Amino acid sequence: MRAVLFVIVVLVSFLKSWSVVKTDSVKSDVLGVWVKYNVYYPQSYDGSGTLKYPILYLLHGLSDYYGSWNDNAQLGDVADELLGEGKICEMIIVMPNAGGPDTRNTWNGYFNMPGWHYESFFFDEFVPAVEAKYNAGGEKGLRAISGLSMGGGGSTVYCQKHPEMFSSCYAMSAWLESSSSIQESNINKLYYVVKAVGENSAIRFIENAEENVLERLRSVKWFFDIGDDDFLLEQSEKLHLIMRNRHIRAELRIRDGIHDWRYWKSALNQSLPFASNNFIKK
């Protein structure tokens, strides 16, 4: 019996050593600050640059931060378990910072707005810096994007604007559009986030897209995952219907759940394999 327990302890220790989740940062001239991010990489990663890894950008929600995926959903453990079961390939997962809990006084959001040109930072500075440092991505077939709530909307719009960059997009409980209810007399940083989501509506983008844009969007694998009691449910349903009517194939899954971390942790068990299955194999 002791021998069996010893073997179990050794196996658990081995599984826990499969990967690393660490905090790194990149200097942004666009934002004028250092931007932190968490990065997950598998045991085989040694920093030598001899192996080219696929990369998944995993975006957090409003009032969260770069560490939220690991703090609240145990991203490293979930990825290790899926890797051990052969459900995902080895990949780099990057979780950039785009906010904080004090939404009225801290910049949140993935779009450009006065004083916070995050979208420009992401594509002009962040993606090139991270992929060069970790020898990852570098092409559409080795790059995917996903996110929850504000990050679900951000990942959707990023993929709409740059379908040549991403092989897949998995949006969880996505915040896809907004009609601002915040009065201009109460302008703060949250006001600009809500306004930016409205200006970058993922639904309006598809409604107004011309055929040449739609054809490019068809090169992306799309997945929308949302709870049946989520207050944003109608947005995902609406976008999915419009995409279907415009002949863009997309998966929509409505599962039991609400807008919370329990739901998003469970979604990782589908989102990570989805990204993995749509990477090109080398």
Side-chain angles (χ1 to χ4, degrees):
M1 185 65 180
R2 290 182 179 179
V4 173
L5 290 174
F6 176 76
V7 170
I8 292 174
V9 170
V10 170
L11 286 174
V12 170
S13 298
F14 175 74
L15 288 172
K16 288 296 184 182
S17 69
W18 274 3
S19 68
V20 172
V21 177
K22 76 167 188 176
T23 299
D24 206 338
S25 61
V26 59
K27 184 178 184 297
S28 171
D29 293 328
V30 171
L31 298 177
V33 295
W34 283 85
V35 179
K36 290 185 176 181
Y37 60 95
N38 267 2
V39 55
Y40 164 98
Y41 51 84
Q43 188 182 39
S44 66
Y45 180 81
D46 61 7
S48 67
T50 56
L51 293 175
K52 187 80 168 181
Y53 290 87
I55 188 167
L56 169 64
Y57 292 93
L58 189 57
L59 310 184
H60 65 72
L62 181 71
S63 81
D64 287 327
Y65 80 120
Y66 66 93
S68 294
W69 275 109
N70 210 48
D71 293 347
N72 299 304
Q74 294 74 54
L75 179 279
D77 292 340
V78 173
D80 279 351
E81 183 176 347
L82 292 170
L83 185 61
E85 294 172 350
K87 293 181 179 179
I88 64 172
C89 65
E90 291 190 326
M91 68 177 78
I92 305 294
I93 304 175
V94 176
M95 296 150 274
N97 198 59
D102 185 1
T103 57
R104 288 172 173 76
N105 298 296
T106 300
W107 285 115
N108 278 261
Y110 297 98
F111 305 126
N112 288 347
M113 56 194 86
W116 182 252
H117 289 183
Y118 194 93
E119 188 172 347
S120 296
F121 153 73
F122 186 88
F123 287 100
D124 296 343
E125 296 181 325
F126 187 68
V127 170
V130 168
E131 295 188 4
K133 181 167 186 175
Y134 291 96
N135 194 38
E139 59 181 290
K140 176 185 176 79
L142 293 176
R143 189 186 293 119
I145 193 165
S146 179
L148 69 87
S149 195
M150 180 181 77
S155 60
T156 301
V157 174
Y158 278 9
C159 219
Q160 288 178 338
K161 293 181 180 180
H162 302 276
E164 77 285 351
M165 289 187 64
F166 302 102
S167 57
S168 70
C169 173
Y170 194 107
M172 313 171 199
S173 310
W175 185 17
L176 299 167
E177 66 176 359
S178 174
S179 55
S180 176
S181 60
I182 300 178
Q183 300 300 314
E184 291 193 17
S185 60
N186 188 29
I187 291 179
N188 52 38
K189 290 182 170 66
L190 179 60
Y191 166 85
Y192 288 112
V193 177
V194 176
K195 186 171 185 287
V197 172
E199 292 171 345
N200 290 273
S201 167
I203 293 172
R204 189 171 61 250
F205 185 96
I206 296 295
E207 288 176 328
N208 298 335
E210 297 183 356
E211 181 56 34
N212 65 317
V213 174
L214 296 174
E215 186 60 32
R216 294 169 62 213
L217 296 177
R218 294 179 187 122
S219 70
V220 178
K221 302 297 184 182
W222 300 90
F223 200 118
F224 299 95
D225 182 354
I226 191 163
D228 57 354
D229 291 315
D230 194 305
F231 67 94
L232 294 175
L233 173 60
E234 290 183 5
Q235 293 189 11
S236 288
E237 291 179 318
K238 183 177 180 180
L239 179 59
H240 179 259
L241 179 60
I242 296 170
M243 291 177 73
R244 187 178 70 180
N245 290 340
R246 305 215 69 183
H247 308 294
I248 302 171
R249 295 188 63 180
E251 299 287 339
L252 172 63
R253 292 293 180 273
I254 301 172
R255 301 184 290 114
D256 181 40
I258 60 175
H259 203 81
D260 66 358
W261 276 105
R262 180 179 179 182
Y263 190 90
W264 301 321
K265 182 177 181 179
S266 72
L268 284 176
N269 288 284
Q270 299 182 68
S271 63
L272 299 186
F274 184 76
S276 179
N277 292 338
N278 289 296
F279 288 134
I280 60 171
K281 303 300 184 287
K282 288 198 169 183

